[in-house]
Amino acid sequence: MLLTRTNGLFQPWTKRWVVFQQPTQACELVVYSNDNPRSWKQLVLLTLDPRLVVVYRAFSKTRSYVLCVAISNQPQLYLAGRSEAHIQSWMAAVRDTLWPPSPSVAVEKSLAGSYLVSVIDNSYSIRAGLLGTYGHLSLTDRKLTLCHPQTGHVVQEWYLRTLKRLALVPQVSPEDKEKVFAIYAGGSVSTTTNLIPL
């Protein structure tokens, strides 16, 4: 159960049941009322075409941990969780349903000592074209590399000589302790990433 809000900007957050189903090639996201489970009422049905969907961390003035499901760059549904780890687990569930990760890429990356990460979107990540980006992050003596979980292709590289520092970001929720870090480049926070150990 999550707090939800549809695409209206001034709608209140409401507790709802969210269900993912995949009857065909596309995924369906269904939101039900939070009444008696025997008499659930369907409130929202979104058909998610993987080619048109973006799932990303969104900003809210009233909630700290929010994700947005957008179709053709139009926000359709916002979901709020209790912690970064909670909302990232929802993002992973949506992404794995829409874009199943390649088992061979996952094995290759885990043997190479990479971490599965998801960008916590901010103004820099949007400007850099990294909105909704996630994948396997690995470190060598020269660079950080983020690879796509389906194809293994490089999404982004950061050369260590161009970075000011990497640092863990203190978190309020105990669930998130030592799971969020920032990449500092060029005098500002470049990208903040949530690490999820494999």
Side-chain angles (χ1 to χ4, degrees), residues 26-155:
C27 173
E28 290 180 347
L29 186 147
V30 188
V31 179
Y32 294 98
S33 63
N34 189 30
D35 302 332
N36 182 346
R38 296 176 194 209
S39 60
W40 277 357
K41 179 181 166 191
Q42 182 177 309
L43 301 174
V44 177
L45 170 65
L46 293 175
T47 301
L48 306 177
D49 181 335
R51 298 167 297 174
L52 304 175
V53 174
V54 177
V55 179
Y56 60 92
R57 282 283 275 104
F59 172 78
S60 169
K61 289 183 180 179
T62 58
R63 301 286 171 191
S64 298
Y65 310 104
V66 177
L67 75 86
C68 178
V69 177
I71 300 173
S72 298
N73 297 320
Q74 297 298 314
Q76 299 295 316
L77 182 68
Y78 295 91
L79 303 174
R82 67 181 176 272
S83 67
E84 189 63 50
H86 184 229
I87 209 66
Q88 289 292 341
S89 70
W90 271 93
M91 290 175 74
V94 174
R95 288 169 169 161
D96 288 352
T97 302
L98 289 169
W99 310 287
S102 164
S104 61
V105 171
V107 168
E108 175 189 334
K109 296 301 177 187
S110 68
L111 291 174
S114 71
Y115 295 92
L116 187 59
V117 300
S118 177
V119 171
I120 299 174
D121 296 292
N122 58 23
S123 59
Y124 176 84
S125 68
I126 294 167
R127 285 192 319 271
L130 297 174
L131 181 69
T133 299
Y134 67 108
H136 297 280
L137 185 71
S138 58
L139 174 66
T140 67
D141 59 342
R142 293 180 36 228
K143 61 186 173 183
L144 277 173
T145 305
L146 181 64
C147 294
H148 196 278
Q150 277 185 308
T151 63
H153 294 130
V154 173
V155 175

Side-chain angles (χ1 to χ4, degrees), residues 4-13 31 43-44 75-78:
T4 67
R5 183 165 76 181
T6 51
N7 58 1
L9 293 176
F10 299 105
Q11 293 184 354
W13 290 98
V31 179
L43 301 174
V44 177
Q76 299 295 316
L77 182 68
Y78 295 91

Side-chain angles (χ1 to χ4, degrees), residues 168-171 173-181 194-195 197:
L168 284 172
V169 179
Q171 298 295 301
S173 171
E175 272 184 274
D176 299 333
K177 187 177 180 186
E178 296 184 1
K179 291 186 178 176
V180 179
F181 78 94
N194 183 32
L195 287 183

